[in-house]
Amino acid sequence: MKLLNDKRFYKFLIPSLIGAFLFVTPINQDGSLTIPIAVAANAMLDLMGDNTLTIIWALITLSGIITIIHKFIGIGFIKSNPKLNNLFSVKGFWFVIRMLGLVFANMIYFSLGPDFIIGDATGGMVINDLIPILVCVFFLAGLLLSLLLNYGLLDFFGALLIKLMRPVFNLPGRSALDCVASWLGDGSIGVLLTSKQYEEGFYSKREATVIATTFSAVSITFSLVVISEVGLEHMFLPFYLVVSLAGIVAAIIVPKLPPLSRVPDSYYTETPHREDIPAGTSSVKYGIDLALKKADKSPTVAAFLKEGMENIFEMWFGTLPVILAMGTLALIIAEFTPFFRILGVPFIPLFKLLAIPEAAAASQTVVIGFADMFLPSVIAAGFESEMTKFVVAATSVTQLIYMSEIGSIIMGSKIPVSLKNLFIIFLERTIVTLPVIALFAHLIF
């Protein structure tokens, strides 16, 4: 009863319930499992309609122009705002990537340049098929993530789940919600949530990198799209159970291998927040205490909206050019060079060892998933063996890191991971999950 008379309890409860409903509550839409924020993102996309490409072009072009002007001349109001100044003061590699995004956006929008850049299999696919929904997700998640972050919900569940997440994965309890948000909604939501938690000192560098590359799981909805592409949608239930089990195995093993094992447990902020339950205190009581303290410092409506707009600007102007530039480059390499096929050759003996039919053809799909998760299933659709189709589709989903979206979002965030390390983690996830998937494939087929 004492708790019910505490005003902080309602400051925690009401926004947190709204946030939990929007981001982690499964709902059924047209026979598919999703979350309300994803439904809202699709509705927003429908609202944009024929203006979608123009909006994306405007956002990426504006980002590039402001970056150039601020870099060489300086813009007063941006200099005086630390977050905006950080957003538009990019140097070296990231300046080149943002400029490349600017060039690609204008080439595609005005249909200028060679087809290998602006075609439907490369830049056209990124800007027309991948980025539109991200524009909407970034807007809604940027504005509303505060409901999860700033009112005590993550603090409460972090304390509840620490006894599971620490022993099994060596991660804070709150990281479980990152996985749920990805699993039910979209992997990009999980990465955004992880990045914000890292910036606020709730995750160390190691924890943030592990969570982003391990727990930003592919949504159930997209997993259904992948298995449907190879004509095995009737096997979705065993498919997703195998994917989930292989993902858990990878989440336990891969963080114990370099490069993830070598990422330091240092923090982005000077005052990190640790979730250590005091002796003699239950996890529920400790979670409520943390939640009430957080709710007591919760932002005003004005501060909530200001932070939301800053998040949106950061993702629209900082991340979208990265996704377009790196996604397009990855798909150009995948479509017009033998690079990924050559890298897949060493996997032929592994496929043969695992007794997977059409081993040589299947090996070509392994590394190409680094460019885009959907490409392996497109290739596998032409295979004869249903077992091989199953293995390729499941492997592509558990690989998790693909540069047309998740990889680029990670690199565009504050999470400290290089392109080289992303590729190494991708290969490690492949090597760890492939035998698990093959084992169950033999049992199923």
Side-chain angles (χ1 to χ4, degrees), residues 66-79 85 89:
I66 293 175
T67 299
I68 293 170
I69 295 173
H70 187 59
K71 182 177 180 67
F72 295 105
I73 300 174
I75 301 173
F77 78 91
I78 291 180
K79 282 184 178 178
N85 189 53
S89 297

Side-chain angles (χ1 to χ4, degrees), residues 24 31 70-72 74 87 105 122 206 242-243 272 275 288-289 295 302 304 309 314 323 367 374 397 400:
V24 296
H70 187 59
K71 182 177 180 67
F72 295 105
L87 175 60
T122 52
R206 179 191 62 81
V242 171
V243 164
E275 292 173 343
I288 290 174
D289 288 343
F304 175 93
M309 292 309 298
E314 183 177 342
I323 295 171
V367 186
F374 202 54
V397 171
L400 210 69

